[in-house]
Every structure is written in C-alpha cells, then in structure tokens.
Amino acid sequence: MKESQVDVLVIGAGPAGLMCSFGLARADVKVRVVDERPKKVAAGQADGIQPRTIEVFQVLTTAINSTNDGVYFALQSYGLADRLLREGNQMHMAAFYNPKSDGSGIELTDRVPDVTAPTARYPFEVTLHQGAIEAIFLDSMKEMGVEVNRPIRPTTIQISEDKNYHDGHPVRVVLKLLEGTGNDEEDSEVVYAKYVVGADGAHSWVRKSFDIAMEGEQTDYVWGVIDMIPDTDFPDIRNKTAVHSNNGSCMIIPREGDKVRVYTQLEGKAAIDARSGRLDKSKLGPNELLDVARKSFYPYTFKAPQSFDWWTIYIIGQRVASSYSVQERVFIAGDACHTHSPKAGQGMNASMNDSYNLVWKLAHVLRGWASPELLKTYEFERRKYAQDLITFDKGFAKLFSGKPRTELNQDGVSHEEFIRAFQTFGGFTSGIGVHYEGSVIVNAKHQNIAAHLVTGERVPPQYLLRAADSRPFEIQDLLPSDTRFKILVFTGNTSEPSQLAKLQTLAEELQAPDSFLTKFSPGGKPETLFDIISISSAKKESVVYNALPQLFRSHWSKAFLDDTPFTGQLGGKVYSTYGIGAAGAMVVVRPDGYVGTIAPLNGVTDLTDYFASFLTSSSA
Amino acid sequence: MKESQVDVLVIGAGPAGLMCSFGLARADVKVRVVDERPKKVAAGQADGIQPRTIEVFQVLTTAINSTNDGVYFALQSYGLADRLLREGNQMHMAAFYNPKSDGSGIELTDRVPDVTAPTARYPFEVTLHQGAIEAIFLDSMKEMGVEVNRPIRPTTIQISEDKNYHDGHPVRVVLKLLEGTGNDEEDSEVVYAKYVVGADGAHSWVRKSFDIAMEGEQTDYVWGVIDMIPDTDFPDIRNKTAVHSNNGSCMIIPREGDKVRVYTQLEGKAAIDARSGRLDKSKLGPNELLDVARKSFYPYTFKAPQSFDWWTIYIIGQRVASSYSVQERVFIAGDACHTHSPKAGQGMNASMNDSYNLVWKLAHVLRGWASPELLKTYEFERRKYAQDLITFDKGFAKLFSGKPRTELNQDGVSHEEFIRAFQTFGGFTSGIGVHYEGSVIVNAKHQNIAAHLVTGERVPPQYLLRAADSRPFEIQDLLPSDTRFKILVFTGNTSEPSQLAKLQTLAEELQAPDSFLTKFSPGGKPETLFDIISISSAKKESVVYNALPQLFRSHWSKAFLDDTPFTGQLGGKVYSTYGIGAAGAMVVVRPDGYVGTIAPLNGVTDLTDYFASFLTSSSA
C-alpha cells in the first residue's frame, strides 16, 4: 500500500473540518483533509452564522504581513468575512407572533433586535446555505494549494506509544478511496500523522473508533424543515420570526436571495415509524410540512412554491462527547462532539469555533514553541462550552416547542417568558459571551487593572486612531489570527514626560535577557511570536508619535491613540470601556483573539511567568 | 487600409480615458480605447483621489441586478472603491508648519481634518500612484472584454456633415500602430465612430486638430516633486503637511505603503533655461530637490533615501479649453480641457469626473432614449466647473507659494489666512460641493419641498432601514450608476390610512398613459429606464411593508424606512436632513447621482414635463 506522512490529517470536510484545515494551511502547517462525500453540500443543512463567527471570519483573513508595512496592508485584503457578507443575507430583526385573543389566528406581538449582544461588532446573523459557506473555505484553501481529497473513507486508526514512530508521526490511519479501481490494495493508503482531527460529524467514525461515549439524551421534539422561495402575504417573511400558535410552533429564517427556511413543529407520531420507533421520511414530504406550517400562520397564506430547495425532518438530540481527545494526538471537533437543536442557531458556529480554538495550539506545538500541555486546553475550553450550550438548548427548545399561553391554556408559554429567554441568552447564542475559565493560557491575576476587558473572553470592538496619520481602526483588525500573541501596551498619556520615562523603563525590561520577549523568542526574533501594539491616551492634535521608545513603534503603523477622529462619533473610549486607568496596562491577547492575561506596566515578570507556563524556551 | 466601426472611440487611456471607456463598457456601449504609450504609467504622476471620486468609484460598481433580487446582491460585489481602499493610503489629517518666532526653523502650528466637507461619505483622501489606479480600471475592463489598444496614435480626424455617413458613424479617424511592421498602410486603420472622446492629455491632439484654444496663462511658480520612502524624524510625515518656512514652501503627501511625495517650491531661475525660457530638467535632479526641501524642514532631518521612486519639475499653468465639443460628435475630457496646479489636489479627479458626467449621456443618446440635445449639458456643466477650479487654484497657489508672515515680513501669508482658504474651499476641493446649474436636466422648480437636497448637487449620504428586514443601507448604494433614473418616493408615514390613500392615487397617476413612466418607457418596460425606490417615515416596530401599493415595492428590497437600526446611532434623519415634510416628495436622481428635479406627490405632470424636455418617446 501507498504510504505518506503529514503533520495533521483532518477527517471530514464539513464546517469543523474546513475551518480546521483552512486555519492550519494559513498557519503554514502541512495538512491533509479527506471526506467521504464525493462533493460538497449543495443545499440546505446548517445556514446561520453568528456574530462572533463573523468576527472570526474577519480576523482569520486579515492578511499577515511581515514587511515593514505593518498593519497597513493587513486590513485590506478580501477575506472570508467580505465574501460571507457579500453572499449572505443579514438578519437584524426578530419578530414574534402569538394567538389573537379571539382565537382567529396569529398576530404580531413584538419586534426586537435579532442579536442581543451589545458589544457585537456585527450586530446581526448572516444566513447562507452550508454549501456556499463551504465554498468560501474551499476557494480560499485552493489559493493556498490545499484541496479536499474525496471520496475517501478511513478504515483503521491507531496511535503508537512510541513518540518517534515513523519519524514522530505516531498516528497511523488507513484511508480507502471510494469510487476507485475497486481493488482494495490499490485504493488504500497508509497515512502517518503527527495529529489527527476527527471532524466527521454526528456519527463520527473517529469517535466510535476510540469508544468515546456521547452523554445525554434524545428529546421527543420532532421538527420539519423546508427551504423555498415563498409566495406569501406574511409581513415578517424577511425577519427571523417565531410563531407560537394554537396549531403548533414555527420559525422563519430568511435566507440569501429570496429564499426562506421554515421550521415546523410536528406531532411526534406522524413521522415516526411505529415498529422501529425511528423517523420515517417517507411518511411526510415538504408539501405536508408546508400544510402544517399553514395552520400555524393562519390568517396569513403561503401559496405552493414552484419547488422546494431542500427539506428534512429531525428529532432533537442533546449530547456531548465524554472526551474530546485521545492522548492529545487524536481530537474530535464539531458535530462529532456535540449535538443539539437548530433552534439555538449554533449549528455550524459551535463546530467552526471548536476548530478555531484548536488550530493555533496545534501550530504552536508543531513548531516547538509550546509544550504539548497546551493541547489539553482544547477539551477544557470547548467541552465546557458544549455543556453550557446543551443546558441552554434544553431550556430554549422546551419553551419553543411549548404551547402558547392563552386564556384557555394558562400553563402555556407566555411571550414575556419566551422573549426573556431569547434576550437573556443573546450573549451566549451570538457567541460573543463565550468565556474560557482559568488555565495555563487564561490567568486573571491582574483583572482589576482592566476590569471590563475580561480575561478568557474575546477582545470587544473599539475604535482607535493610528497616531501617525489619525486614521481610524477597529481594534479587532489589529488582532489577526496569525498565530502570534499580541501585546497591547496601554501606555497612558505619553505626552507626559513622567509617563514616557516609565515606558522607557518598560522597554528596557522587556528587552532584558530574562524577559519573555527574549526567552521565548523563536530563532531570536521576538516578532515571530509576539506583536507589540501601543495605545496611548495622548491626543491627535498634539501627539508626537515618534517620541515613543522604538519598541512600541517598531513601524509607524504600530502606535495608536485612544481618541476620536475629526469626523464621526466613534473612538476615544478604549481606556474607559476596558476599565484601564491613567497608569496604563499590558494585555496579552491570545492568537485566537481572547484575553490571556493582564499586567501593570511594571509587571513584565508576571507576563514572563504566564508565558513560561506553556511556552518552551528551547528555540532561543 | 483596414476599416472598422464603433459606437465610441476613446483616444487616450489615462484617468479620463479609462473612466470613459470603463463607464461605457459597463453600460454595454460598444467602445474602443487607444493610447500611444506602450504601457500604463509605472510610477509618479497624479496620485490623490478626492472624497467625491471615491463615492463615484463606489456607485460605479455597485452591481446592476435586473432580477428580482433587487438591491440585495447589488451592494455586495467587489468594486473599484473596494480595491482603491484596499491598495491606497488614507489621508485624514492635515498639518501646518510655520517658522518659529525665534527664526530657528519650523514648528507645528495646527492640525485639522484633511477634508472639510461635512457630508462626505468617505471623509478622507486616498493616495495611490496613477499606475495602480489605472490598473484598477484596466483589470475591471478586462473582465468586461475591453482592453486598451496600444501603442496607437491617431493621425487624422474628420466629422462628416452627413448623419448617415457610414451607417450613422460620422466621425472618421485614422489610427496608426506604432512599433508595427513599419509599413504605413499595413499599420494604419480607419475607424468610423458615432462619437469620439479625446482624453489625450494637456497636449491633446484631438483638441489641436479642431483648433480649440486653451484660455488662461502660465504662472511663475516652479515646483519640484520627489517620491520616496523617507528616513526622517519629522513627526507629520504620514499626514498631509503644508510647510511655510523662511526658506520656501513644501508639501508632504503620504502615499501607499511607506512612500511619501514631497512638493518643493523652487526659485524659478534655477530650473529655467536662460535662452529658451523653458524648464530644464537637466539643471536639477531629485537630490537637489531634496536639498531644497531640507532647508524648509529644518530642524527636522531627511536622510538620503536609497532611491527615488519618481521625480519631476513643473511650472503651473492655469487654462481652460474654449470649447469641450465639436458638433456634439467629438468631445474632449480631462487634461485636454483644463490644466491647473497639483496643489488643488484635483489632478485625476476633475478628469475622471468629466468622463463620468459624459458617459451616461452618450449611453442614453446612443440607445435612442434621449435627444442629442442632452449632450450639450456636458460642456455646460463641466466647463463651468473647470473655470471655478482655475479661479480657486489661482488664489490657493498664490497663498501656498507666498512667503510666511513673520515679524520681519508683515506682508507674508499668515497661517490664519491660509487655513481659512484651505477650509473654505474644502467642499470644492473634495468634489462634494460641485453644483450643476439649471438646464434641461437640472430643474429646481420645487426645491422648497426638499430644501436641503439641492437640485444639481449629488445626493448626500444618509442611512435608511430596509422595511422588510430592518437592514441598514447607505442611500448612495441604492443609486448605482446603472444609467437609470432613480425615482425616490418619500411617501410620508404610510402607517396612516390617509397617506396610504394618496399613494394609491399616485401609483395610478404614475401608471396612466400620459405619465413619463409610460411615455418614456423603452420597449414598454419602465424599469429599464426608471428605478422606483420608496422611503416611508413609518417605524420598524409597526411597519407592514407589503401594505404599500405594488409599484412602490416592485420587490421587497425596494421599500425603505427613515428609521434607526436597533443598534447604532445612524439613520432616522433622511426627511429632516433633506428638508422633506410629512407630505412627502418625489425626487428624480440622475444616473450620475445628482439631483435632477423634485416634485410633490401630486406632481406627476411636473416630472413628465421634466423628462419630456430631453427624453424621446419613440421607443414606447
């Protein structure tokens, strides 16, 4: 059989697998991705991208530029987010319909923002069918020379105890080409990988191969989904709309172009085969699902569409894998780790964000920058998140599937109860509120000096001015996912000589032999692993940007101000919003944009301690 | 000799010629463009794009979508503006340096916004070398199948009196291929064109062929220009900086990447050949120009750069062509019509906006939609603008070249005087304040019902919400340069039954046989020439977007609200900003984004009169 080696083998090219292989390719890691489907998804499936995921798309493709152009070109490339926003529909509004008091059908009860996460940079969801989202990744990967090998199915996977097995590639996977010659040996191949990521879906072969259990249960809620271009008089057809009627619940998700997705609640029995107890798609078709929806939407009407784009029926299962990794050599991500209802709007988002969390850690360990211990934080951070998601989903799905409260049904779900849940969990469903607990990479020791820049959470958007030219920038655009730690130096007011003197001292301490900047500097080049950005509270009219010590303006584009532009109302609120005082602060931002730790300007040793807990000084 | 026919022959592929041929190609007009240079500009030349020109770049490539997707996809394509903003540098700040009172060099006097035009959508200038800007056009044109033929020089041009000459192609031009076979006949070609645009620069062959005079004069101001990556301690090197020193004036224009342009004032004699009285570039080189600049910048220093990107010396001439057209068959545009100093920052901008003004008019006449009279408005509108530009330039260049006012030189130019001129003319230099006077296409009869939406000026930016989905939109993105007139129907509050009844009446009047919508409808399809967009003052929480008459929501994406989004502070100010009352108004926006005329909701006949003055009903 053929044999080959690779740093990371990704099994499965759905959202989790594509995010993983895209991120690794972008980090220049040797990656191979295989999928058993002959083609990418053509229609239907998951279709909602949450605000935090749009932020991730943005920072993932903020171009990395190692020349002295600094961030200049970095902000300007077309990227994943550009294309997502170009092709996708935006949901800004959520509408709620409930039974009229006279029982004659439904009426509009309320309209509220679709996203309730005040710090979201993109305060909306984007909807676009899964195939189009996969295409965004596939096309970008192709530019980097990485393509999905398909249709390929893995047949065996083993981890060697010997770290040096096959030159440090301890995971042995046999792959089989489907639709090949038909000769098993010719169609098979042995791949030796340093790491394997199983992103192979809810029925994950990788997960089953290692007997990882799914913990949780299946619910009784049965739902149908139809995708179509509707012909209707319903006035909220372009908003995310939740309908609680006396004839069941429905949800509208407007999509790209004129398409709309309709979720309809089904009476369990109608779609379940009496003998097997399993879902039977032959019992119901899209026309029957539309008929069910029509009853909920009365008095509004839906004409029969020319065709249905896609449809399905599903039972909600709410489960989390008991483990996310095998010896930190094989990982699982996405649906392989967690299943939940589409109502939480998390489908692709949780999956892609699993991979996003894993990618930079794999890159650091593969490059010898970090100890393998770093990889343990993947399960620690993402399994906790999945458990929280299931807890949320259980409550929300119950409210959603419940009968509306009416005069006759005082035990039903009231609009107030439903919208409270909708808004309370807005931070969670948007992905903005994700909080990683303390670990080697999350240390809240000095949280108090930047009280509102929460350690373990992503850096919230803020506008800055670039000191040299007063051009406004969004801080997230200064934090690209380029596998580097960003050291944000909030310098205080550098127009004051005393503060400038403190910065001079800080620059010397940072460049001393025992500082992390020196000790963990790959090949003696700190900028390979650390990107230093300064943010002064001086004002644009009087700032002399080149009075700063050189370390804090390695290029003119690296020094920023907490000030407003001449035009526009944005900016000038970074220190106050983050809770940083006049004394300043240093903030370590992880490569994935989450706050790692915080220290005062005289706290270089704290930062060195932080990095020493997971970085390796071998390369110095 | 070879012979061919074309609708429009464009001579010259600089900024004016490229804007012309790009715009015509985008309007599906058969266009050919020739240039005598073998290649596009590689460095230097003009490099500043003004705020209004960025707006034009934006609307030029807001994709035209004739499907029922409406504006949905329209806003999302990558276009000229995307690429300009991706590649160019932004100037947000202007800094001013003047002599210190003790005479020891210069000091910072003031920093102000670079752009003083409150309604600018992009409140900054973009700098990028002319070759890169030409590449943006060339690449986009290539996608449409249009390439510049070069190196080709025209040798004769004649206009036939006979309109039917060569099947309606009355302009005969002989072109000669340079670097061809060397055989005159083989290298020559006769082109018969319906129209010819001479965009062939300050020494325009087309202009000279028809003996069109340049009116105006040459000044005594001599300036040098150097482009380089500077090594300096000057703190405003990334701002647009005007230096008035006792050793002459300088100007800094930061450029893409780390490049900077330095303009230096020269003593006239140093660069002028005593015998001929002409500029002699052999007398001065870039190092000498930098030496001159160094004296102005003292005490700040400039080290010698590794190389100079480009350099030149020029004398300012301020002239305008006496005519812009010959029989409305041959037109001249750009530098062929006007020359002025680079200090006004108008170089490419005035040229490209000449062509932008001409393109839609040519397209309308070629399609038989409009009478040839429409073409007379080109000279009427653009020559007036050029004259205003020269007047401004004379005053500004004088102030710029003048000595600074000091204790010893009380007759010099004071900072206050200079900055007053800088800011007073901000609307003019930004291109935002351009005002076209009354003509067949500019009729201010009902100006009072939209007092601040000035007839003859471009529609200023405002945020709207789309009624069906509360998605915010910038109004300029609803006004793409797709050669259609936009009929903005400010409906008033359509949640009120009485207002809705008025709209019903309006819809009937607009669809009556004597309305412009019917009379001037090409091939019986009003949407080919008119795009109707409604803007209601109803509120997002309660609006029922599909209660509007169908004409005002031909697709769900065509109905908008004057309301704020749930998040963000923009929007909800269209009626008040434009000065439109509760009774509403109809606003005709020309295909180039300028307000053509305004009428009350019961004023369909006024609009019909307006269109009847230049449109032809032949195609109905």
Side-chain angles (χ1 to χ4, degrees):
Chain A
M1 278 195 284
K2 279 179 291 182
E3 294 196 348
S4 64
Q5 291 185 346
V6 72
D7 284 352
V8 183
L9 174 66
V10 179
I11 297 173
L18 289 175
M19 173 66 90
C20 190
S21 40
F22 175 85
L24 290 168
R26 193 148 173 85
D28 268 333
V29 169
K30 276 170 64 184
V31 60
R32 183 165 170 197
V33 53
V34 299
D35 195 284
E36 66 175 23
R37 296 169 299 176
K39 288 181 179 176
K40 71 173 168 64
V41 164
Q45 311 288 351
D47 63 356
I49 298 290
Q50 295 290 349
R52 173 57 189 161
T53 312
I54 311 174
E55 291 181 1
V56 168
F57 274 38
Q58 174 66 24
V59 295
L60 258 174
T61 41
T62 302
I64 301 155
N65 194 309
S66 56
T67 73
N68 67 351
D69 283 314
V71 299
Y72 172 72
F73 282 108
L75 304 184
Q76 306 300 341
S77 68
Y78 302 135
L80 301 182
D82 295 286
R83 188 161 159 199
L84 179 75
L85 295 173
R86 185 161 63 98
E87 296 186 13
N89 174 63
Q90 296 181 12
M91 290 199 299
H92 289 261
M93 175 91 91
F96 301 89
Y97 281 71
N98 282 283
K100 291 186 198 169
S101 53
D102 67 2
S104 64
I106 56 168
E107 66 182 358
L108 176 65
T109 313
D110 212 352
R111 285 178 182 157
V112 304
D114 177 48
V115 168
T116 30
T119 72
R121 177 173 182 185
Y122 306 94
F124 50 83
E125 291 177 78
V126 171
T127 50
L128 184 62
H129 82 88
Q130 185 172 327
I133 289 167
E134 291 183 10
I136 294 175
F137 281 99
L138 292 170
D139 291 347
S140 297
M141 280 164 59
K142 202 169 181 179
E143 286 172 20
M144 295 187 283
V146 178
E147 295 194 58
V148 179
N149 300 153
R150 60 171 101 213
I152 282 177
R153 183 179 291 159
T155 56
T156 66
I157 182 167
Q158 293 156 307
I159 307 176
S160 169
E161 302 281 310
D162 177 7
K163 277 188 184 177
N164 298 320
Y165 181 73
H166 272 266
D167 196 24
H169 295 73
V171 194
R172 181 182 184 276
V173 182
V174 179
L175 299 177
K176 189 182 165 196
L177 178 65
L178 309 180
E179 304 174 12
T181 64
N183 177 317
D184 251 23
E185 189 144 333
E186 277 184 46
D187 292 343
S188 294
E189 177 189 0
V190 184
V191 177
Y192 298 96
K194 290 179 180 167
Y195 299 95
V196 169
V197 180
D200 48 352
H203 304 288
S204 172
W205 172 86
V206 174
R207 187 187 70 221
K208 288 174 184 164
S209 298
F210 290 100
D211 285 328
I212 298 171
M214 288 299 275
E215 300 171 346
E217 60 212 29
Q218 186 160 301
T219 68
D220 293 331
Y221 308 127
V222 182
W223 286 77
V225 190
I226 42 180
D227 285 354
M228 61 178 177
I229 293 179
D231 184 349
T232 180
D233 58 354
F234 185 63
D236 282 273
I237 193 70
R238 297 304 308 172
N239 292 320
K240 182 184 196 172
T241 303
V243 174
H244 273 99
S245 86
N246 291 326
N247 298 308
S249 299
C250 280
M251 186 172 230
I252 294 280
I253 305 285
R255 299 265 305 273
E256 68 274 13
D258 289 338
K259 286 181 194 164
V260 163
R261 169 166 289 188
V262 183
Y263 288 97
T264 55
Q265 186 182 15
L266 300 177
E267 292 296 325
K269 289 170 194 165
I272 289 179
D273 180 77
R275 291 193 194 174
S276 66
R278 291 190 172 183
L279 268 181
D280 182 356
K281 279 183 81 171
S282 71
K283 298 213 169 201
L284 277 177
N287 286 302
E288 289 76 23
L289 294 176
L290 182 56
D291 277 341
V292 174
R294 283 183 175 124
K295 289 179 192 151
S296 302
F297 276 97
Y298 181 85
Y300 300 103
T301 59
F302 281 81
K303 292 187 187 155
Q306 291 201 317
S307 64
F308 292 93
D309 209 43
W310 184 75
W311 71 281
T312 194
I313 307 172
Y314 63 89
I315 302 183
I316 300 172
Q318 291 157 333
R319 298 192 179 91
V320 181
S322 59
S323 170
Y324 274 32
S325 118
V326 185
Q327 301 169 40
E328 279 77 51
R329 282 292 173 181
V330 173
F331 301 87
I332 52 174
D335 288 353
C337 313
H338 41 69
T339 63
H340 44 84
S341 86
K343 296 307 156 309
Q346 295 304 307
M348 285 184 283
N349 297 273
S351 296
M352 292 193 288
N353 284 310
D354 285 345
S355 295
Y356 181 61
N357 183 285
L358 179 60
V359 160
W360 71 270
K361 297 170 183 175
L362 282 174
H364 276 220
V365 175
L366 279 164
R367 289 173 188 161
W369 294 353
S371 125
E373 286 295 298
L374 176 62
L375 296 172
K376 292 190 174 166
T377 63
Y378 167 63
E379 175 176 309
F380 177 78
E381 295 186 334
R382 294 306 297 175
R383 190 163 181 271
K384 163 82 163 48
Y385 168 77
Q387 287 170 321
D388 291 348
L389 173 59
I390 299 301
T391 305
F392 159 75
D393 189 43
K394 281 184 182 169
F396 196 66
K398 193 173 169 186
L399 285 177
F400 204 92
S401 295
K403 289 267 179 197
R405 177 175 298 179
T406 59
E407 283 193 18
L408 293 174
N409 178 18
Q410 290 290 328
D411 292 337
V413 179
S414 75
H415 172 63
E416 290 66 31
E417 195 178 351
F418 187 63
I419 206 166
R420 200 181 312 125
F422 182 83
Q423 297 194 323
T424 304
F425 294 105
F428 188 78
T429 53
S430 67
I432 299 298
V434 170
H435 180 102
Y436 295 138
E437 300 292 332
S439 70
V440 291
I441 50 173
V442 173
N443 184 329
K445 181 177 174 186
H446 291 290
Q447 182 66 71
N448 62 313
I449 63 170
H452 309 307
L453 189 58
V454 184
T455 316
E457 298 191 4
R458 72 90 167 85
V459 174
Q462 277 297 315
Y463 276 91
L464 305 173
L465 284 193
R466 193 157 61 182
D469 63 357
S470 284
R471 175 173 167 179
F473 281 84
E474 166 51 60
I475 196 168
Q476 290 194 347
D477 285 332
L478 309 179
L479 309 172
S481 300
D482 60 2
T483 73
R484 294 194 290 178
F485 285 91
K486 313 303 179 299
I487 315 295
L488 301 181
V489 182
F490 291 86
T491 62
N493 186 349
T494 45
S495 293
E496 291 173 10
S498 64
Q499 193 68 18
L500 205 51
K502 283 181 195 161
L503 280 174
Q504 195 57 54
T505 305
L506 173 58
E508 285 159 18
E509 288 177 12
L510 282 167
Q511 292 170 328
D514 58 347
S515 146
F516 67 93
L517 209 57
T518 315
K519 282 172 77 172
F520 304 114
S521 164
K525 291 187 178 170
E527 66 273 20
T528 304
L529 184 48
F530 304 103
D531 187 18
I532 299 176
I533 295 163
S534 64
I535 302 167
S536 169
S537 57
K539 294 302 162 194
K540 61 184 176 296
E541 289 85 357
S542 55
V543 68
V544 179
Y545 88 91
N546 51 4
L548 274 181
Q550 186 80 36
L551 185 65
F552 305 121
R553 53 172 182 98
S554 58
H555 183 258
W556 60 264
S557 63
K558 292 291 182 186
F560 291 83
L561 303 179
D562 184 16
D563 200 0
T564 53
F566 284 114
T567 50
Q569 305 118 323
L570 300 164
K573 293 183 180 165
V574 182
Y575 277 68
S576 60
T577 304
Y578 291 173
I580 296 172
M586 287 188 285
V587 175
V588 174
V589 182
R590 301 170 12 167
D592 56 2
Y594 288 75
V595 178
T597 196
I598 297 163
L601 293 191
N602 62 3
V604 174
T605 54
D606 283 316
L607 296 193
T608 300
D609 289 348
Y610 168 82
F611 285 115
S613 71
F614 61 95
L615 291 186
T616 52
S617 54
S618 61
S619 50
Chain B
M1 277 195 283
K2 279 180 292 184
E3 294 195 350
S4 64
Q5 291 185 348
V6 73
D7 284 351
V8 183
L9 174 66
V10 179
I11 297 173
L18 288 175
M19 172 65 91
C20 189
S21 40
F22 175 86
L24 290 168
R26 192 148 174 84
D28 268 333
V29 169
K30 276 171 62 184
V31 60
R32 181 165 172 197
V33 53
V34 299
D35 195 284
E36 65 174 24
R37 297 169 299 175
K39 288 181 179 176
K40 71 174 169 62
V41 164
Q45 311 288 351
D47 63 356
I49 298 290
Q50 295 290 349
R52 173 56 190 161
T53 312
I54 312 174
E55 292 181 0
V56 168
F57 274 38
Q58 175 65 24
V59 295
L60 259 173
T61 42
T62 302
I64 301 155
N65 195 307
S66 56
T67 74
N68 67 351
D69 283 314
V71 299
Y72 172 72
F73 281 109
L75 304 184
Q76 305 299 341
S77 69
Y78 301 135
L80 301 182
D82 295 285
R83 187 160 160 200
L84 178 75
L85 295 173
R86 184 162 63 98
E87 296 186 14
N89 174 63
Q90 297 179 13
M91 290 198 299
H92 290 260
M93 175 91 90
F96 301 88
Y97 281 71
N98 282 284
K100 291 185 197 170
S101 54
D102 67 1
S104 63
I106 57 167
E107 65 182 358
L108 176 65
T109 313
D110 211 353
R111 285 179 182 157
V112 303
D114 178 48
V115 169
T116 30
T119 72
R121 178 173 183 185
Y122 306 95
F124 49 84
E125 290 177 80
V126 171
T127 50
L128 184 62
H129 82 88
Q130 185 173 327
I133 289 166
E134 291 183 10
I136 294 175
F137 281 99
L138 293 169
D139 292 346
S140 296
M141 280 164 58
K142 203 170 179 179
E143 287 172 20
M144 295 187 283
V146 179
E147 296 194 56
V148 179
N149 300 152
R150 60 171 100 215
I152 281 178
R153 182 179 293 159
T155 57
T156 67
I157 182 167
Q158 293 155 307
I159 307 177
S160 169
E161 302 280 310
D162 177 9
K163 276 187 185 178
N164 298 320
Y165 182 71
H166 272 267
D167 197 24
H169 295 72
V171 194
R172 181 181 185 275
V173 182
V174 179
L175 298 178
K176 190 183 165 195
L177 178 65
L178 309 180
E179 304 174 13
T181 63
N183 178 316
D184 251 23
E185 189 146 331
E186 278 185 45
D187 292 343
S188 294
E189 175 187 2
V190 183
V191 177
Y192 298 97
K194 290 180 179 166
Y195 298 95
V196 168
V197 180
D200 48 350
H203 304 288
S204 171
W205 172 87
V206 175
R207 187 187 69 221
K208 288 173 186 165
S209 298
F210 290 99
D211 285 327
I212 298 171
M214 287 299 275
E215 299 171 347
E217 58 211 32
Q218 184 161 301
T219 67
D220 293 331
Y221 308 126
V222 182
W223 286 77
V225 191
I226 42 180
D227 285 354
M228 61 179 177
I229 294 178
D231 184 350
T232 180
D233 58 354
F234 184 63
D236 283 273
I237 194 69
R238 296 306 307 175
N239 292 320
K240 181 183 197 171
T241 303
V243 174
H244 274 99
S245 87
N246 293 326
N247 298 307
S249 299
C250 280
M251 186 172 230
I252 295 279
I253 305 285
R255 299 267 304 273
E256 69 273 16
D258 289 337
K259 286 179 196 165
V260 163
R261 170 166 289 188
V262 184
Y263 288 96
T264 55
Q265 186 183 17
L266 300 176
E267 293 296 326
K269 289 170 195 165
I272 290 179
D273 180 76
R275 290 193 195 175
S276 66
R278 291 189 171 184
L279 269 181
D280 182 356
K281 279 183 81 170
S282 70
K283 297 212 168 201
L284 277 177
N287 286 302
E288 288 76 22
L289 294 176
L290 181 56
D291 277 340
V292 174
R294 282 182 175 126
K295 288 178 193 153
S296 302
F297 277 96
Y298 181 84
Y300 300 102
T301 59
F302 282 80
K303 291 188 188 156
Q306 291 200 317
S307 64
F308 292 93
D309 209 43
W310 185 75
W311 72 280
T312 195
I313 307 172
Y314 63 89
I315 302 182
I316 300 173
Q318 290 156 333
R319 297 191 180 92
V320 181
S322 59
S323 169
Y324 274 32
S325 117
V326 185
Q327 300 170 42
E328 278 79 50
R329 281 291 172 182
V330 173
F331 301 87
I332 54 174
D335 287 353
C337 313
H338 41 70
T339 63
H340 44 84
S341 87
K343 298 307 156 307
Q346 295 305 307
M348 284 184 285
N349 296 273
S351 297
M352 291 194 290
N353 285 310
D354 285 345
S355 295
Y356 181 62
N357 183 285
L358 179 59
V359 161
W360 71 270
K361 298 171 182 175
L362 281 175
H364 276 220
V365 175
L366 279 164
R367 289 173 187 162
W369 295 353
S371 125
E373 286 295 297
L374 176 62
L375 296 172
K376 291 190 175 166
T377 63
Y378 167 63
E379 175 176 309
F380 177 77
E381 294 186 335
R382 294 307 296 175
R383 188 161 182 272
K384 162 80 161 50
Y385 168 77
Q387 287 170 321
D388 291 348
L389 173 59
I390 299 300
T391 306
F392 159 75
D393 190 43
K394 280 184 181 169
F396 196 67
K398 191 174 171 186
L399 285 177
F400 203 91
S401 297
K403 290 266 177 195
R405 178 175 297 180
T406 59
E407 285 193 16
L408 294 174
N409 178 17
Q410 290 290 327
D411 293 334
V413 180
S414 74
H415 172 61
E416 290 66 31
E417 196 177 352
F418 187 64
I419 206 166
R420 200 181 313 126
F422 182 84
Q423 297 193 325
T424 304
F425 295 105
F428 188 79
T429 53
S430 67
I432 299 298
V434 171
H435 180 102
Y436 295 138
E437 300 293 333
S439 70
V440 291
I441 50 173
V442 173
N443 184 329
K445 180 178 175 188
H446 291 290
Q447 182 66 69
N448 63 313
I449 64 169
H452 309 308
L453 188 58
V454 184
T455 316
E457 298 191 4
R458 71 91 166 85
V459 175
Q462 277 297 314
Y463 276 91
L464 304 172
L465 284 193
R466 195 158 60 183
D469 64 357
S470 284
R471 175 172 168 180
F473 280 84
E474 167 51 60
I475 195 168
Q476 290 194 347
D477 285 333
L478 309 180
L479 309 172
S481 300
D482 59 3
T483 74
R484 294 195 289 178
F485 284 91
K486 313 302 177 301
I487 314 295
L488 301 182
V489 182
F490 291 85
T491 62
N493 187 350
T494 46
S495 293
E496 291 173 9
S498 64
Q499 194 68 19
L500 206 51
K502 282 181 195 162
L503 281 174
Q504 193 58 52
T505 306
L506 174 58
E508 286 159 19
E509 288 177 12
L510 282 168
Q511 290 169 308
D514 58 346
S515 145
F516 67 93
L517 209 57
T518 315
K519 281 172 78 173
F520 304 114
S521 166
K525 291 187 178 171
E527 65 274 19
T528 304
L529 184 49
F530 304 102
D531 187 19
I532 299 177
I533 295 164
S534 65
I535 302 168
S536 168
S537 57
K539 294 302 162 195
K540 61 183 176 297
E541 290 84 358
S542 55
V543 67
V544 179
Y545 88 91
N546 50 4
L548 272 181
Q550 186 80 34
L551 185 66
F552 305 121
R553 53 172 181 97
S554 57
H555 183 258
W556 60 264
S557 63
K558 292 291 182 186
F560 292 83
L561 304 179
D562 183 17
D563 200 1
T564 53
F566 284 114
T567 50
Q569 306 119 323
L570 301 165
K573 293 182 180 165
V574 181
Y575 277 68
S576 60
T577 304
Y578 291 173
I580 296 171
M586 289 187 286
V587 175
V588 174
V589 182
R590 299 169 14 167
D592 57 1
Y594 288 75
V595 177
T597 196
I598 297 164
L601 293 191
N602 62 3
V604 173
T605 53
D606 283 316
L607 297 192
T608 300
D609 290 347
Y610 168 83
F611 285 115
S613 71
F614 62 94
L615 291 186
T616 53
S617 54
S618 60
S619 51

